[in-house]
Amino acid sequence: MNYQLHDSQINKIELGEDTITLKFSQGFWATDEHGKMCEQLENCKIVFEIDRDDVPIEDFISVRISKKSGIYKTISLKKFMGLLKKSPFNVYLEYNCDFASSKMFQMHSNYFRIGAEVFIEDMKNIRYIHD
């Protein structure tokens, strides 16, 4: 089964020793063999296993935000996690780079009126988990 994150909402990021977990208040979508969204799943999370070699797990995720100007600035992961506690962010695009083992999400918050880009690097495995 394949998944698509468009029109889903990220509401929490959790860090483990070798993992980064994104939790979704609105589940992501299962897609059919043609890539068409067919069912919105519930109780969803994505677990990224990171090839970190004694580097802190926080170094493998970075966040940039933009207000109306369209100019992005980097913020700390801790600050972004604080924003997620107040309001989820809506995912509208996701990008994969297999060559660099990276993923990027573009999202926005209507509550804060900001856009955000979240980059996760050096992934060695991705697990999509749902009910």
Side-chain angles (χ1 to χ4, degrees):
M1 185 178 295
N2 290 316
Y3 305 99
Q4 190 174 94
L5 303 181
H6 181 74
D7 286 339
S8 61
Q9 291 183 334
I10 295 176
N11 68 315
K12 189 173 187 178
I13 296 175
E14 293 179 342
L15 304 175
E17 186 174 323
D18 294 322
T19 60
I20 297 168
T21 303
L22 305 181
K23 294 192 170 189
F24 294 81
S25 53
Q26 276 187 347
F28 45 73
W29 290 84
T31 59
D32 64 17
E33 62 274 359
H34 304 292
K36 184 178 178 185
M37 296 185 299
C38 57
E39 176 186 9
Q40 190 168 25
L41 305 170
E42 295 183 20
N43 203 17
C44 299
K45 62 183 174 181
I46 303 174
V47 179
F48 298 90
E49 292 179 43
I50 305 298
D51 190 13
R52 67 181 197 88
D53 295 328
D54 295 327
V55 175
I57 195 72
E58 294 88 353
D59 289 357
F60 295 92
I61 183 169
S62 58
V63 180
R64 300 182 332 150
I65 63 167
S66 173
K67 297 192 178 189
K68 290 181 183 180
S69 66
I71 298 171
Y72 282 86
K73 69 175 188 171
T74 301
I75 63 168
S76 71
L77 178 59
K78 183 177 181 178
K79 183 172 182 173
F80 185 67
M81 291 168 78
L83 294 174
L84 287 173
K85 286 181 183 178
K86 295 177 183 174
S87 177
F89 276 68
N90 302 306
V91 177
Y92 60 91
L93 292 173
E94 62 180 303
Y95 301 93
N96 294 311
C97 180
D98 294 332
F99 177 75
S101 299
S102 299
K103 193 165 189 77
M104 191 263 277
F105 304 96
Q106 286 186 321
M107 56 189 87
H108 69 278
S109 168
N110 292 331
Y111 179 81
F112 295 112
R113 299 187 116 143
I114 59 175
E117 295 180 342
V118 175
F119 301 86
I120 300 175
E121 302 175 55
D122 292 326
M123 304 174 307
K124 63 180 178 181
N125 190 29
I126 302 173
R127 288 180 289 144
Y128 293 82
I129 301 170
H130 56 85
D131 286 346

